[in-house]
Amino acid sequence: MRISVRVWQTALFVTVIVVGQLVVSAWISAGHKASIEEIAAAQRLNEATALADLFSPFFPLDGDNAGELRDRVKRIGDALDEEIVVYDREGALVASRLSREVPDSVLRRAHVEGGEEEGRFAEVDFEKLGLVIAARPIFDSAGLKVGVVVVGNEAREARQALRRVNEQLTVAFWVALVVAGAVGLFFSEIITRQVTRLSRAAAAIAEGDFDQRLPKRWVPDEITDLAESYNRMAAQLGHAFDTLRAQDEAQRQFVANASHELRTPVAALKGFVELLDDGAKEKPEVRDDFIRTMRAESDRLQRLVEELFTLARFDSGAVEMDIREHAVVGIIAEVVHVMKPLADERGVDLLSRVAPAKLLALCDRDRIEQVLVGFIDNALKHTKSGDSITVWARLKAGDLEVGVTDTGDGIPAEALPHIFDRFYRVESERGEPKKGAGLGLAIASEIIDGHGSRIAVRSIPGEGAEFSFKLQVARA
């Protein structure tokens, strides 16, 4: 059987209140009872003292005094509805007026304790006897103890007062119980409502809705902390889910683009092979042209596969940088040496500038050369004969900057945010077909990220572009 938080909390709250109320009621009742019994005992002692003074003239007893004393005891007892017993100095019963049964043990104890020189016996027994018993010694005119008087009274007013107190405590108990139940139900409703919201919100998250948030008003601190933790969790899960969804979409797009890029050279190679089989191989000039084209497509396919493999390794975290000290001038000289034939073929001046010339950088030489070659190759696609490309390195404000600047077409402003996206290619201003797979800058960005830096791009359409990054200086 399931029991809700509301029932549990209300029951617990009421239980605590009931136990507390019972303890307080018992304490108050005991205190009132003690006070009432003390007042009743004091009243009976006062009556016993007054009767002792009243009966004192009858002592020493003789035949006439004894009869008159018995008569006086009866009349006073009847008038006051009290139990009165008088003993002489020897402990013999002289006179009594008993309308109720009083145990001899009580009378004997009252006679003994109350008969002492300073005797003040008082006993309250509302449960068994229903009486308050008191005793005082009787002294004659010379101050000698001549007897003992014992008084018993129902103390109706005291008993009624005690009964009223108990009745009021009983009423207060039930009122407190009802109020406690109502208050407990009220507060448990607040908490239960918040817990219910939490349960519904958790169910919504399980269904993929991460926009649910919990309010944090009118609840205990613990529930507020829980709501804040839930809201943070929901926000983080939502962000993580959006990131995963974006990554999944990017992965699908990557696979689609990669498939498209791979399909083109493969289809070209297949077409050339079929043409050769159909007889083109019998014509030497056609055959040689097909072979050259097939070699070019094979190289293109190889480059594309290598680039895809490199990106896959970066995505899996399998690429480790071989960071060492390298002379920047040597890196740039090697890159210029490799790329100068291509630049000369296009009529583009490829220059280098390093200041100071003895700069040493902490980097992975092969990877940095790969980045610079990619920058130059990208610049060659957007320059024309007579333009220039400069590979440079310099110290600026204690940082080592390395970059490639060209005087070509530049990059359109709308393309700048996307140039590092995979498979993104900027169309030449001269309307030339897009070249490459659009992976070079994406790989370069991954490499520079691995060096703890980022690629900065500055471009003015029609005037050229500049790609640069920073490396850690070893020494100059």
Side-chain angles (χ1 to χ4, degrees), residues 83-101:
E83 315 304 316
I84 302 175
V85 179
V86 180
Y87 298 93
D88 63 13
R89 182 172 50 188
E90 304 300 330
L93 180 62
V94 176
S96 68
R97 188 273 181 187
L98 291 174
S99 61
R100 301 171 184 82
E101 184 177 350

Side-chain angles (χ1 to χ4, degrees), residues 247 251 254 305-323 364 366-368 370-371 422 439-453 455:
Q247 290 177 347
Q251 190 72 18
F254 178 80
V305 171
E306 288 176 351
E307 288 176 345
L308 290 173
F309 179 67
T310 299
L311 283 174
R313 292 183 65 206
F314 273 112
D315 289 342
S316 65
V319 177
E320 294 184 2
M321 299 295 172
D322 183 16
I323 305 297
D364 184 327
D366 292 341
R367 296 293 183 183
I368 295 300
Q370 181 181 355
V371 170
R422 299 175 182 184
L439 297 176
L441 288 179
I443 294 174
S445 178
E446 295 285 354
I447 292 174
I448 299 304
D449 285 346
H451 282 76
S453 183
I455 297 176

Side-chain angles (χ1 to χ4, degrees), residues 136-153:
R136 290 284 287 164
I138 302 173
F139 298 95
D140 61 12
S141 57
L144 297 176
K145 189 184 77 168
V146 294
V148 178
V149 60
V150 179
V151 179
N153 190 285

Side-chain angles (χ1 to χ4, degrees), residues 248-278:
D248 185 59
E249 180 62 28
Q251 190 72 18
R252 285 198 296 269
Q253 187 65 35
F254 178 80
V255 172
N257 291 333
S259 301
H260 174 74
E261 293 294 336
L262 290 169
R263 188 182 299 116
T264 301
V266 170
L269 289 172
K270 182 179 180 181
F272 285 128
V273 170
E274 290 175 352
L275 289 173
L276 288 172
D277 284 342
D278 288 342

